[in-house]
């Protein structure tokens, strides 16, 4: 049993105790307003060098930017979010079909963090996830219901991957890296469904975290995503047909700290459910993640030690999925602060 919120939460008029977030992490009554400062970069405007410059400035300052006029078809974006919503509107048994442990080698459905029962508190979301690239390899494990799922999500992830590679190329170029440093392979899609919540001030859909991979491409239809910047949470405006792009921890490490990874979380709302499509660009799993040699010098020593993703995940899970503690673990402390 996956206990999917999507199938039982609609009749509630108060938040079950299990979902009350400890006070210090609670969003509180004042859900952060959207910030107009977060850069929205038009990928069709100006020359490549000026777009790269905007991406680099945003990645240094916010660890996050949005992109508009990015080339992914508007119709595919709408169809993709709709088919995601349709998935989470299916009867519980249909969704649960995909929840069993690995019957389809990689396609999973779960509620909250996936550790329901052992977490300190429950997260207000359900997730469907599966790998996407190469499509020919994975399409057979995609859900076959709702009927349009494979026909929509297949082409959607192909287009999103093209966009991701375009952005990664520009980031690598902005860092002054040569092609042998270019590093992008897998694409993992998570479709999150955040049902309407009886008490958004006490619940969270996703706790504050940094993603582990290179970059993430998020499609959100309604507000919920927040960034932690300068000691406070700020809201990301869900611009029409835009994608939100957090820089993730592996990219921070590769750039030797030149780019910062975004600490972000998701708050809920009481009016309607929110569906997001979150595309994670990962390094190949056997790749050593380390500061690129050309960005390291005696005056700029490595800020992180090298690791494989397997070790990262062991440290993360050994620390209750706390990505802040995990990031500290891989930081090399400067002589002065030792
Ligand atoms: C994530 C995430 C954001 C969202 O899945 O890591 O940050 O808007 N999701 O669902
Ligand atoms: Ni994230």
């Amino acid at each position: 049993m996956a206990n999917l919120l999507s199938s039982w939460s609609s009749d509630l008029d108060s938040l079950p105790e299990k979902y009350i977030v400890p006070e210090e992490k609670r969003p509180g009554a004042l859900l952060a307003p959207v910030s107009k400062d977060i850069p929205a970069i038009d990928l069709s405007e100006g020359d490549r060098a000026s777009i790269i410059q905007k991406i680099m400035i945003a990645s240094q300052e916010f660890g996050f930017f949005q992109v508009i006029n990015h080339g992914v078809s508007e119709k595919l974006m709408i169809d993709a979010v709709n088919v995601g919503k349709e998935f989470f509107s299916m009867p519980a048994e249909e969704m649960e079909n995909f929840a069993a442990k690995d019957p389809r080698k990689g396609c999973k459905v779960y509620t909250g963090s996936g550790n329901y029962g052992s977490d300190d508190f429950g997260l207000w979301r359900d997730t469907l996830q599966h790998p996407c690239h190469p499509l020919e390899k994975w399409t057979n494990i995609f859900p076959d219901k709702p009927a349009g799922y494979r026909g929509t999500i297949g082409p959607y992830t192909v287009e999103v991957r093209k966009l991701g590679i375009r952005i990664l190329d520009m980031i690598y170029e902005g860092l002054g890296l040569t092609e042998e440093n270019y590093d992008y392979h897998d694409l993992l899609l998570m479709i999150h469904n955040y049902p309407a919540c009886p008490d958004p001030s006490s619940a969270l859909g996703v706790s504050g975290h940094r993603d582990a991979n290179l970059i993430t491409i998020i499609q959100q239809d309604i507000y919920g995503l927040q960034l932690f910047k300068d000691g406070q949470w700020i809201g990301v405006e869900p611009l029409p047909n835009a994608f939100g792009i957090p820089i993730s921890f592996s990219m921070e490490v590769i750039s030797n700290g030149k780019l910062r990874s975004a600490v972000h979380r998701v708050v809920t709302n009481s009016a309607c459910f929110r569906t997001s499509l979150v595309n994670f660009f990962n390094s190949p799993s056997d790749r050593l993640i380390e500061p690129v040699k050309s960005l390291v010098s005696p005056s700029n020593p490595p800020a992180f030690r090298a690791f494989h993703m397997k070790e990262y995940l062991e440290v993360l899970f050994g620390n209750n999925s706390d990505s802040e503690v995990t990031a500290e673990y891989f930081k090399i402390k400067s002589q002065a602060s030792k």
Side-chain angles (χ1 to χ4, degrees):
M1 269 282 287
N3 285 311
L4 297 173
L5 273 170
S6 309
S7 53
W8 63 265
S9 63
S10 59
D11 302 333
L12 295 172
D13 43 30
S14 66
L15 187 67
E17 205 166 321
K18 165 90 192 159
Y19 292 91
I20 299 177
V21 173
E23 201 160 349
E24 66 284 2
K25 292 186 184 165
R26 245 176 249 171
L30 257 181
L31 293 179
V34 295
S35 166
K36 297 287 179 195
D37 297 336
I38 300 171
I41 301 175
D42 186 336
L43 295 187
S44 71
E45 190 191 276
D47 59 16
R48 184 175 166 87
S50 74
I51 297 173
I52 292 177
Q53 199 190 13
K54 287 179 194 156
I55 291 177
M56 298 310 281
I57 291 171
S59 304
Q60 284 162 16
E61 198 180 330
F62 290 84
F64 185 94
F65 52 92
Q66 300 208 64
V67 291
I68 53 173
N69 295 323
H70 41 62
V72 177
S73 120
E74 212 171 288
K75 177 168 185 323
L76 265 182
M77 290 179 76
I78 295 167
D79 289 352
V81 71
N82 284 340
V83 86
K85 287 181 188 298
E86 248 185 272
F87 180 88
F88 285 105
S89 311
M90 295 197 301
E93 320 75 75
E94 298 276 11
M95 291 187 277
E96 302 270 337
N97 251 331
F98 298 96
K101 272 246 174 300
D102 216 10
R104 290 153 220 266
K105 298 196 184 64
C107 182
K108 291 201 270 190
V109 175
Y110 52 91
T111 193
S113 70
N115 300 321
Y116 187 86
S118 61
D119 280 342
D120 300 344
F121 59 92
L123 293 168
W124 197 260
R125 74 160 194 278
D126 296 326
T127 301
L128 162 66
Q129 76 173 57
H130 54 71
C132 303
H133 177 79
L135 185 60
E136 318 75 75
K137 176 171 172 194
W138 296 112
T139 188
N140 290 334
I141 66 149
F142 288 13
D144 49 8
K145 284 184 188 153
Y149 190 90
R150 291 183 180 180
T152 300
I153 295 299
Y156 172 79
T157 56
V158 168
E159 284 208 18
V160 168
R161 188 165 186 277
K162 278 190 203 144
L163 172 64
I165 288 176
R166 196 170 144 210
I167 292 170
L168 281 164
D169 274 354
M170 289 196 278
I171 293 176
Y172 290 135
E173 198 175 319
L175 288 170
L177 303 187
T178 49
E179 289 217 359
E180 65 264 30
N181 300 120
Y182 285 26
D183 189 14
Y184 26 76
H185 276 250
D186 300 347
L187 176 59
L188 177 75
L189 173 67
M190 288 189 188
I191 303 185
H192 297 306
N193 193 50
Y194 304 86
C197 176
D199 181 6
S201 65
S202 303
L204 280 175
V206 183
S207 301
H209 68 287
R210 295 169 203 266
D211 295 344
N213 50 308
L214 294 167
I215 60 167
T216 306
I217 297 197
I218 301 174
Q219 182 182 336
Q220 56 166 353
D221 60 345
I222 56 172
Y223 177 60
L225 182 61
Q226 300 184 336
L227 302 182
F228 194 67
K229 176 148 193 306
D230 302 331
Q232 57 178 353
W233 290 100
I234 55 175
V236 178
E237 187 178 3
L239 298 172
N241 308 315
F243 288 105
I245 307 201
I247 299 292
S248 308
F249 186 62
S250 296
M251 183 58 86
E252 179 169 340
V253 171
I254 288 170
S255 75
N256 201 26
K258 190 163 178 192
L259 306 183
R260 53 184 278 189
S261 53
V263 174
H264 55 288
R265 71 177 184 185
V266 178
V267 296
T268 62
N269 77 80
S270 57
C272 57
F273 68 104
R274 170 180 185 270
T275 306
S276 63
L277 292 103
V278 185
N279 300 273
F280 296 91
F281 287 77
N282 294 307
S283 298
S285 55
D286 58 354
R287 175 86 173 207
L288 195 63
I289 312 288
E290 61 181 339
V292 165
K293 299 280 182 289
S294 59
L295 298 176
V296 171
S297 66
S299 60
N300 194 21
F304 301 92
R305 69 171 184 78
F307 57 88
H308 285 102
M309 200 35 71
K310 185 166 176 279
E311 183 189 4
Y312 177 92
L313 294 175
E314 279 164 13
V315 175
L316 181 71
F317 295 140
N319 284 295
N320 210 10
S321 294
D322 187 325
S323 57
E324 288 307 278
V325 176
T326 307
E328 283 303 316
Y329 179 90
F330 290 104
K331 263 188 200 148
I332 296 176
K333 306 283 180 291
S334 70
Q335 291 300 327
S337 62
K338 258 185 192 163

